[in-house]
Amino acid sequence: MLSKIALSYIVGFICVTHAPQILARPLFPRQATVTLQVLNNSVDTKLGCSAAQIATLQSALTDASNIASVAARTLSGVALSGTSPEAVTNFLGITGAQLADQTATRITAVGTAYASSLEQITDLVNGNTDQTLRFYCPAATTSAQEGNPCESDDNAATDNLQEGKINKMALCDLFFAGGSLASDTTTYNADKAAGKLTSFTSPNDPGITLIHEAQHSVPLLGGDLSLVLEDIAISVAQCAALPASDKEDNAENWALIAFLAQVDPSRFA
């Protein structure tokens, strides 16, 4: 779940096992195809997405795929070089084969999945499978008992079939609040000029939100529940201040590193 305001503390941390010899992995690894679906509101008006919301989602998916593609190239180059640029040190704390392995799973494969076509459905539950991810848009008037997981400061919320629910991603009101990569870039440049390299304003582009939420999604992480990350920290300053060993285990750190690769490649030099 992505909240731009609240800080979530997690009792335990996810342990990620990194495969050796990962530099031989191709830039776009093979994976099972993820089917992307969106619940429209033609039948379900409490959880379904309007035509305008579906259009925003489609644009965000394209945005996320493009951002991930840029980030994959940037981080793969860093991994091959064996260096530790400032942005990677501050927000991931990993290098070499470890960085290549994580990039392939959390950025490259996610970008590939988000480039898939988006199908519209009228039933959120029936037909959900291990390789299906369903988006839905709970109305503000829809209660938690009626299936709305969104808190007031959430952009999105993700559930998984392997955790006893279904593979779905709720797009909350803030997801549709008008954030864009262009406005985020303008704000970032002003923050950077003010010296806020590790405390800039959190991006609100829906595409960046999707990259964050992918770190919570089993189908987008190759079907491996052990790779799902939690929200240890949310604000940029909190993410940068995490111990080096925890940065790669925090979902927002991956969203931020993808954002930086897009808007400020000089930080990876």
Side-chain angles (χ1 to χ4, degrees), residues 95-143:
T95 57
Q98 190 177 7
L99 177 60
D101 184 27
Q102 291 278 51
T103 297
T105 299
R106 303 193 178 283
I107 299 294
T108 307
V110 165
T112 301
Y114 278 153
S116 303
S117 60
L118 181 66
E119 304 173 358
Q120 293 193 33
I121 57 174
T122 58
D123 189 305
L124 185 61
V125 178
N126 289 340
N128 187 245
T129 68
D130 288 338
Q131 292 301 321
T132 299
L133 175 60
R134 294 178 166 177
F135 300 95
Y136 64 112
C137 307
T141 55
T142 301
S143 68

Side-chain angles (χ1 to χ4, degrees), residues 190-262:
D191 286 344
K192 182 182 179 182
K196 299 179 180 179
L197 289 179
T198 57
S199 60
F200 56 88
T201 304
S202 296
N204 283 312
D205 174 49
I208 299 296
T209 294
L210 291 180
I211 292 175
H212 172 112
E213 289 302 314
Q215 312 312 316
H216 302 316
S217 175
V218 170
L220 292 176
L221 296 174
D224 190 343
L225 180 61
S226 72
L227 295 179
V228 167
L229 301 184
E230 300 293 343
D231 292 326
I232 305 169
I234 290 297
S235 76
V236 174
Q238 291 162 349
C239 291
L242 286 172
S245 59
D246 293 339
K247 290 176 179 178
E248 64 173 314
D249 292 337
N250 186 50
E252 183 66 357
N253 283 61
W254 286 98
L256 291 174
I257 205 74
F259 173 71
L260 288 174
Q262 180 74 33

Side-chain angles (χ1 to χ4, degrees), residues 5 8 16 33 38 44 48 84 93 96 125 166 193-195 213 218 244 250:
I5 301 174
S8 300
V16 181
T33 301
V38 57
D44 190 338
S84 185
V125 178
I166 67 171
E213 289 302 314
V218 170
N250 186 50

